[in-house]
């Protein structure tokens, strides 16, 4: 780690990342099933033909691969445009975490990369940021979505827009690293409070549902 | 529906809300809704038995009793009342909806 | 459901009960919904009536809003900003309407959710809360009480069951000319205890009579019980896990008394799911003997050649309706298809089918609740269209609840079809029975 770049903002961003991880871990722990004695989930029914698969592992793999395929899952199949836009935005978010770690660890070595490459990634993040804008516009204009949404929903997507846009601008050299780190810190601070905690719970619920369906012989299909 | 000037009300399942208002004319009107254009003697045997049984026991009779009383088989009963003894015949007989999976 | 009043004691009880339910089931699903709203197109109720209250996300929100208020920091500090709701007369009434009148618990939303949230199970949690404060639709409550007091949901007496068994067997012997056919009742030491839907005893004996013929043809040692013979579980529909556990336990006591080696469940959707899978969770202990569906048993008979079928006897086009609780939640997906392949000439699948099938519209206890009559028929239009598209004349369905709903859809949408259970189709094709 480049000690010269360990300024306050960087330290704060590391601190808020730790806060995020700890808070999420606490929430995950609190969301676990709690039962008395040695009773474990659905272990108690007899295995026979209806449970010919009964392999939690295979069911879990299935639930993260084929079950999420846009050719199968209706929330993707019946909404191809929204699915694509959401995919682009999530790709951007995934890459942004990599970018965050790069900034912390090897910055300012990023500047050694050729300018065209930086600008290319800049456009990439700009695109993902625009995808997030589309999602916000959709949430604000769609009557049904408006009725089920609350402040947290709007705030989260706005945060994502700012987050991705800041990285894009940073790559174009418009804003400094500190701005990116500041916004990232704020995102990390906020994640455990709102719906952004689905970053962790997504995996938990898919595994949980897969275990249930695998035990019943429904997954993998 | 309107029968002899009185308003007969039904619940969302099509069963009478006030079974005491039932009479033969009401039965014929409900039967028409069931697709029974003309109530034959067999229809009436079934409906009258169900009605009397319910008046005595406050419960819909089992299909066995209905078939034995009317002297017909189960398949014939389902031909007379295509919705079956519960949603078909009991409805025509003005009973409230039987409990459970019917 | 009629609007109900809630006093302070009930609100406290609801809060306490909610905590217990969360401990038992875990709350990860309640944390994961992102309100993307893409679940609507997977829900037959929403597709028939596209209002926001019918969106699966809205139904789940009724429960997760309560969760956020009491079990998350942001919900406790800033409830309005995260859409958290408190337990109140208003919120409990809205919850009741959502989970009992706008949802059959079919689970189509759960498997198609973009995140993977198990929406149907969240709705079930809602039912659990309401059942614990005893605010459930009166029809479900009454039927559950019937089942607890008399052993079956339609209050059929032991005498009536015995008489009906004799009558069905008599009729069947006359029809087929086979003397060995009988329906054993309370036979100690039989191999199989066959649980039936009281509908088969009280209103529709043809499927029980078909099963009796199949067992006789396979020379099976079986029996039904005279007291606890009911495969259905209205405690399950009501969300009343305590009653559901008692009902399940009664069956096992009966099985012990009759010293059977296996319990076989008649064609029933929720009965299969409740007994085969959920029961172990309620009773919190291992089942002493195996439990399986009659479909799996019949398939075994076909494969082991204990019965032989002549499929030419079923030459009308047949399609299959997959009951949600049997297929999506129960895992019995291929047996009924393999049976139909052996028993009928012309079988065509509905689209979509298997675990993506659409609910008939009458599941989750909706068939029993008269207030839901209109919505049930409206949301069944999708199923009616599916049936029409297959151009089949017979709809086979291994669930009596679905069969009743399909009978009504047949009437309301003029489909011109016949509904038969799998046992009946197999019975039609049975080779050694002469008719």
């Amino acid at each position: 780690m480049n000690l010269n770049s360990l300024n306050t903002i960087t330290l704060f961003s590391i601190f808020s990342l730790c806060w995020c991880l700890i808070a999420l871990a606490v929430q995950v722990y609190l969301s676990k099933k709690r039962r008395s004695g040695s009773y474990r989930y659905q272990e108690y029914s007899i295995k026979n033909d209806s449970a010919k698969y009964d392999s939690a592992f295979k069911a879990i793999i299935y639930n993260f691969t084929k079950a999420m395929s846009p050719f199968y899952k209706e929330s993707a199949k019946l909404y191809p445009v929204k699915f694509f836009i959401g995919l682009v935005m999530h790709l951007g978010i995934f890459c942004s975490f990599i970018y965050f770690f790069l900034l912390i660890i090897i910055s300012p070595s990023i500047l050694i990369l050729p300018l065209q490459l930086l600008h290319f990634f800049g456009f990439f993040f700009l695109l993902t940021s625009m995808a997030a804008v589309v999602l916000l516009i959709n949430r604000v204009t769609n009557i049904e979505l408006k009725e089920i949404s609350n402040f947290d929903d709007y705030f989260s997507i706005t945060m994502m827009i700012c987050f991705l846009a800041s990285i894009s601008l940073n790559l174009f050299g418009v804003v400094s690293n500190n701005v990116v780190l500041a916004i990232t810190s704020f995102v990390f601070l906020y994640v455990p409070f709102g719906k952004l905690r689905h970053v962790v719970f997504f995996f938990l619920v898919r595994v949980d549902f897969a275990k249930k369906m695998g035990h019943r012989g429904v997954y993998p299909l | 529906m309107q029968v002899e000037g009185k308003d007969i009300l039904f619940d969302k399942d099509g069963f009478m809300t006030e079974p005491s208002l039932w009479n033969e004319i009401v039965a014929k009107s409900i039967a028409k809704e069931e697709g029974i254009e003309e109530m034959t003697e067999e229809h009436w045997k079934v409906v009258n038995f169900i009605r009397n049984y319910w008046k005595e026991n406050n419960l819909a009779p089992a299909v066995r009793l209905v078939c034995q009383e009317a002297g017909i088989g189960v398949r014939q009963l389902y031909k007379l009342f295509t919705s079956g003894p519960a949603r078909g015949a009991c409805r025509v007989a003005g009973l409230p909806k039987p409990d459970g999976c019917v | 459901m009629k609007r109900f009043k809630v006093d302070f004691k009930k609100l406290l009880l609801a809060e306490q009960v909610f905590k217990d339910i969360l401990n038992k089931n875990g709350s990860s699903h309640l944390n994961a919904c992102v309100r993307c709203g893409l679940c609507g197109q997977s829900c037959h109720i929403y597709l028939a009536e596209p209002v926001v209250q019918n969106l699966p996300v809205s139904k789940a929100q009724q429960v997760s809003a309560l969760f956020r208020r009491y079990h998350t920091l942001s919900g406790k500090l800033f409830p309005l900003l995260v859409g958290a709701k408190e337990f109140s007369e208003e919120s409990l009434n809205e919850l009741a309407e959502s989970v009992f009148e706008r949802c059959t618990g079919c689970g189509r939303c759960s498997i198609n959710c973009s995140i993977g949230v198990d929406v149907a199970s969240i709705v079930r949690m809602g039912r659990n809360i309401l059942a614990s404060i005893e605010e459930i639709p009166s029809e479900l409550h009454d039927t559950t009480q019937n089942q607890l007091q008399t052993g079956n949901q339609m209050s059929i007496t032991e005498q009536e069951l015995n008489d009906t068994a004799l009558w069905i067997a008599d009729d069947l012997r006359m029809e087929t000319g086979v003397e060995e056919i009988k329906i054993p009742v309370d036979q100690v030491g039989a191999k199989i205890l066959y649980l039936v839907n009281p509908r088969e005893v009280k209103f529709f004996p043809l499927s029980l009579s078909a099963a009796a013929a199949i067992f006789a043809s396979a020379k099976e040692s079986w029996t039904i019980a005279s007291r606890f013979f009911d495969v259905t579980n209205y405690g399950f529909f009501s969300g009343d896990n305590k009653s559901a556990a008692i009902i399940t336990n009664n069956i096992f006591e009966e099985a012990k008394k009759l010293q059977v080696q296996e319990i076989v469940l008649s064609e029933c959707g929720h009965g299969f799911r409740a007994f085969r899978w959920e029961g172990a969770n309620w009773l919190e202990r291992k089942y002493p003997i195996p439990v399986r569906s009659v479909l799996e048993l019949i398939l075994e008979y076909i494969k082991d050649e204990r019965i032989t079928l002549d499929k030419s006897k079923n030459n009308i086009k047949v399609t299959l309706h997959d009951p949600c609780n049997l297929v999506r939640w129960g895992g019995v997906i291929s047996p009924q298809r393999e049976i139909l392949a052996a028993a009928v000439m012309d079988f065509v699948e509905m689209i979509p089918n298997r675990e993506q099938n659409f609910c008939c519209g009458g599941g989750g206890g909706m068939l029993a609740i008269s207030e839901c009559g209109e919505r049930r028929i409206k949301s069944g239009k999708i199923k009616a269209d599916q049936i029409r598209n297959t151009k089949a004349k017979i709809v086979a369905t291994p669930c009596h609840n679905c069969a009743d709903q399909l009978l009504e859809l047949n009437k309301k949408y003029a489909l011109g079809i016949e509904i038969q259970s799998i046992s009946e189709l197999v019975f039609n094709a049975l080779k050694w029975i002469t008719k």
Side-chain angles (χ1 to χ4, degrees), chain B residues 13 34 63 78 87 101, chain C residues 153 202 204 370 376 408 411:
Chain B
D13 264 331
E34 282 289 310
V63 67
Y78 266 81
R87 283 190 186 265
C101 284
Chain C
Q153 52 152 288
K202 191 151 178 181
F204 193 77
S370 11
R376 177 167 58 82
E408 280 215 31
K411 200 169 68 178

Side-chain angles (χ1 to χ4, degrees), chain C residues 390-405:
Chain C
T390 63
K391 301 198 182 18
K393 285 288 161 220
I394 295 181
V395 176
T397 181
C399 172
H400 285 270
N401 214 320
C402 296
D404 264 318
Q405 165 76 351

Side-chain angles (χ1 to χ4, degrees), chain C residues 301-373:
Chain C
Y301 289 159
I302 296 176
K303 286 200 172 139
D304 294 344
E305 293 180 9
R306 281 173 72 172
I307 59 173
T308 34
L309 303 178
D310 175 12
K311 59 158 93 169
S312 66
K313 295 219 187 120
N314 284 318
N315 52 14
I316 305 179
K317 195 176 231 187
V318 173
T319 186
L320 173 68
H321 163 69
D322 287 307
C324 309
N325 277 325
L326 184 74
V327 172
R328 199 172 11 256
W329 292 108
V332 179
I333 308 180
S334 43
Q336 56 268 41
R337 294 175 153 78
E338 294 180 60
I339 295 173
L340 286 177
V344 311
M345 294 282 286
D346 188 1
F347 169 60
V348 58
E349 292 263 18
M350 284 194 211
I351 298 170
N353 56 51
R354 289 186 166 82
E355 77 296 342
Q356 285 279 20
N357 70 305
F358 272 104
C359 178
C360 62
M366 246 201 202
L367 195 75
I369 305 174
S370 11
E371 259 180 51
C372 300

Side-chain angles (χ1 to χ4, degrees), chain C residues 157-184:
Chain C
T157 62
E158 289 174 50
Q159 184 60 48
E160 179 57 55
L161 182 89
N162 274 293
D163 291 339
T164 305
L166 287 170
W167 170 67
I168 294 176
D170 277 339
D171 251 6
L172 196 56
R173 272 194 293 271
M174 259 198 307
E175 193 186 333
T176 61
V178 178
E179 288 306 312
E180 296 95 71
I181 290 182
K182 58 179 167 53
I183 299 185

Side-chain angles (χ1 to χ4, degrees), chain C residues 184-296:
Chain C
V185 180
D186 289 336
Q187 191 171 310
V188 180
K191 179 159 171 268
I192 287 177
L193 172 62
Y194 186 59
L195 298 179
V196 293
N197 189 324
R199 178 180 180 263
E200 298 179 76
V201 175
K202 191 151 178 181
F203 298 117
F204 193 77
L206 292 177
S207 56
L208 175 53
S209 113
I214 297 171
F215 284 136
S217 183
K219 298 194 175 29
E220 184 63 81
S221 152
W222 68 294
T223 181
I224 60 176
S226 62
R227 177 128 169 90
F228 295 112
F229 61 84
D230 196 347
V231 72
T232 66
N233 192 325
Y234 263 73
F236 173 74
F237 275 153
S238 316
D240 184 356
N241 288 353
K242 286 203 186 77
S243 303
I246 295 173
I247 291 167
T248 311
N249 194 44
N250 285 339
I251 305 283
F252 277 116
E253 295 296 310
E254 193 80 355
K256 203 158 81 173
K257 204 172 71 182
L258 295 172
Q259 295 167 34
V260 293
Q261 296 170 31
E262 189 180 355
I263 298 179
V264 169
L265 309 173
S266 167
E267 298 175 53
C268 180
H270 85 280
F272 178 78
R273 173 187 175 179
F275 206 74
R276 175 74 182 81
W277 297 116
E278 310 282 346
N281 292 342
W282 300 322
L283 298 177
E284 295 194 5
R285 64 164 195 267
K286 219 172 171 62
Y287 280 1
I289 50 176
V291 170
R292 55 174 168 163
S293 168
V294 69
L295 298 172
E296 297 168 291

Side-chain angles (χ1 to χ4, degrees), chain A:
Chain A
M1 216 186 269
N2 191 336
L3 282 171
N4 291 335
S5 69
L6 266 185
N7 59 8
T8 335
I9 294 279
T10 318
L11 279 173
F12 186 64
S13 66
I14 297 173
F15 161 75
S16 54
L17 173 64
C18 292
W19 149 257
C20 178
L21 292 174
I22 293 172
L24 285 176
V26 167
Q27 289 186 353
V28 165
Y29 172 73
L30 288 175
S31 76
K32 285 239 173 285
K33 301 182 220 271
R34 251 170 290 267
R35 295 193 177 106
S36 54
S38 58
Y39 170 65
R40 277 194 0 239
Y41 181 69
Q42 285 214 326
E43 208 199 19
Y44 279 40
S45 53
I46 301 274
K47 298 183 202 323
N48 61 24
D49 280 351
S50 305
K52 60 164 96 46
Y53 296 110
D54 196 24
S55 157
F57 179 69
K58 281 200 192 135
I60 293 170
I61 298 289
Y62 171 79
N63 208 15
F64 280 103
T65 53
K66 273 199 191 157
M68 288 182 59
S69 146
F71 298 109
Y72 177 81
K73 189 175 74 171
E74 285 193 351
S75 51
K77 193 162 85 168
L78 302 175
Y79 300 90
V81 176
K82 272 196 203 163
F83 171 71
F84 179 69
I85 294 177
L87 199 68
V88 167
M89 186 193 79
H90 278 88
L91 192 62
I93 293 173
F94 177 69
C95 294
S96 65
F97 288 128
I98 301 177
Y99 190 75
F100 167 71
F101 282 111
L102 286 178
L103 271 189
I104 300 277
I105 297 169
I106 67 170
S107 162
S109 323
I110 286 180
L111 297 170
I112 298 176
L113 287 167
L115 206 67
Q116 284 109 319
L117 203 60
L118 288 180
H119 284 190
F120 170 75
F121 284 120
F123 273 118
F124 168 71
F125 279 106
L126 189 67
L127 210 71
T128 62
S129 169
M130 276 161 47
V133 170
V134 171
L135 290 178
L136 173 64
I137 293 174
N138 180 47
R139 195 171 278 280
V140 170
T141 53
N142 184 323
I143 307 171
E144 281 175 355
L145 270 185
K146 250 202 299 206
E147 239 188 276
I148 62 173
S149 300
N150 51 54
F151 170 79
D152 170 38
D153 295 308
Y154 299 114
F155 191 62
S156 302
I157 190 68
T158 314
M159 289 263 26
M160 289 297 108
I161 296 170
C162 297
F163 182 41
L164 294 167
S166 73
I167 295 179
S168 163
L169 293 175
N170 178 249
L171 283 162
F172 282 128
V174 176
V175 301
S176 70
N177 291 359
N178 284 344
V179 172
V180 173
L181 289 174
I183 295 186
T184 313
S185 311
F186 195 70
V187 170
F188 283 145
L189 281 177
Y190 184 69
V191 162
F193 284 106
K195 75 174 198 191
L196 289 176
R197 53 173 112 85
H198 76 272
V199 64
V200 143
F201 281 103
F202 160 77
F203 296 97
L204 278 174
V205 298
R206 286 239 164 228
V207 167
D208 181 63
F209 194 61
K211 281 204 310 215
K212 180 182 203 164
M213 287 306 187
H215 179 74
R216 296 181 186 201
V218 183
Y219 283 175
L221 288 156

